[in-house]
Amino acid sequence: MNTNTMFPPMPKSDGNIIIVGGGASGMAAAITAKQKGAKHVIILEASQTFGGNAIYAPIPRLQPEEDKAIAAHEDYMRKMDDSNWAADARLVRTICDQIVELPEWLSAFSGDATEGERGGKLARVLADECDRLGVELHLGCLAKRIIQDEDGWTTGIEYEENGMTQTMNAMVVIVASGGFLGDIEMMKRYIPFIDDSFNADAALVGKKYSAYGVQMALDCGAGDMGTVSLEWNETRMPFWGKQLSQPIEYIVTSPSVLWVNNVGVRYCNEGNINSESSVIRQPNKDSFIVVDEGILEELARRNPNFSLSQFKLEVEELIDADQALVCDGAGPLAAWIRGKKHILQSQIDRYNECCEAGRDFLFGKSPEDLIPFKKPPFYAFRSGIPVVMTHGPIKVNPMMSCVKLTDFPVRGVLACGGVLGGLYTDQFISTERCDSLRVALASGYIAGGHAANFIGGGKPAPLYEFPKFSAREVMAGNYYNVGTPTPPQTAIQA
């Protein structure tokens, strides 16, 4: 029987696990690896702070479910349906199964993991636990290359610190460097609608990282899934750069407002949760939220907690920052958005016809959200695309091991978090759809556990050379199986 594998013996190593990136997924991997017995776990973070996008985040609202299996299955079906079942079903299933275990895991070192506290608590909690467990945290270290021996085994990493190139031995490298929102050339490579002006037109509200981690994984043989997704969040005024007051946020997030582009054209159903995706199709990715006094008065009537007078006071600060306008007609409104008055007026007239008919003939907005736009003054707010991060394109298996396009593992290289490919298939996805923090934590947990097992003596499944038998040969019994363990023979008792 031919049982030769394609794996030569593993090289001797000092057993280091090196994690490239100190965000949520990287720190989750480090914590899990230490919890599962790994002795030497090192995080190399390129920036001067840990946390990645988790520095903006609360601890996710991870409600323990009475039936974890049902919760995991429902999450799995939602994610797969969102991708039209083009996502990697095994990978999505594995991550969903781990997500429901996160509340118990997090609460062991963060207290109540169901509170969803704001102010970046997640990053602080993860960093504190890394420190308590003895994870080595190195800031300002830019990983450059995964070092492999002649047989393809990972033996270390090359990185740059204080302008000097250095190397460090490793048996496992986990790529957790996050997305590459700041790398316009890499974004243009994967996303057709991105050009040189994208960073100026869009509001990049997430961390602006380069693609060094992704490129490093690709260079050592990881498969390229070919698809990268941009994640956007629900921020309605991303260029403002500050927390919106409650009265302003209530209005700009209302489905009763109108969204127009810089020509003056209304272009979507403002009440649909995924309408933000349509901003990408507008000229210069520009979008403006417009509302009149009549809509404001009706929304105030519907919500007694909304103060119209307070709203008008707080609009003044936005006007000073050129993020809002108050005017008495379509002419000045069109001038501010750099549109055409007659087009904008025609769109307002058409919208009012929809309101009178009780039906949005163009985009299907709910009748209860149709309020006529007729009463000055008019208010306009600068909106746009709030881009948080990129996802993809590294191919991994359900253990988070990087694999080639043929599914053969890249020996000793794993990945987690934003670099994972195969989870999403759309090029523009909402934060609600992708649950970034949960996926980051779950994939980091899986990668860290697998790395610890590998260091502890576990080995990847051998890759065998499989002979090809014809159907007639197999049916005639002229075949043999490859890679199936032979059961031990039991002595026959006399």
Side-chain angles (χ1 to χ4, degrees), residues 183-214:
D183 195 324
I184 188 66
E185 291 304 317
M186 185 66 89
M187 291 169 69
K188 285 163 57 179
R189 171 176 164 184
Y190 285 100
I191 305 171
F193 56 76
I194 287 182
D195 55 23
D196 289 330
S197 66
F198 182 81
N199 283 4
D201 294 338
L204 307 186
V205 298
K207 283 276 192 176
K208 300 172 184 64
Y209 291 129
S210 74
Y212 73 96
V214 168

Side-chain angles (χ1 to χ4, degrees), residues 78-95:
R78 177 179 63 84
K79 285 181 167 59
M80 293 305 299
D81 286 343
D82 281 346
S83 75
N84 292 318
W85 283 78
D88 185 327
R90 293 190 308 141
L91 179 62
V92 174
R93 179 82 240 188
T94 303
I95 288 176

Side-chain angles (χ1 to χ4, degrees), residues 317-382:
E317 184 181 10
L318 297 173
I319 294 173
D320 291 338
D322 200 32
Q323 297 297 308
L325 171 80
V326 181
C327 60
D328 60 0
L333 179 53
W336 187 65
I337 68 174
R338 305 185 306 281
K340 296 181 179 180
K341 176 185 174 182
H342 71 283
I343 293 178
L344 177 61
Q345 187 62 61
S346 71
Q347 295 291 298
I348 293 173
D349 293 342
R350 179 60 170 156
Y351 185 76
N352 287 332
E353 292 174 4
C354 293
C355 293
E356 292 170 6
R359 178 185 173 193
D360 184 358
F361 302 108
L362 293 175
F363 305 114
K365 182 188 284 191
S366 296
E368 61 267 24
D369 296 326
L370 293 171
I371 304 173
F373 190 103
K374 295 181 177 180
K375 183 178 180 181
F378 297 163
Y379 298 79
F381 301 89
R382 193 180 304 279

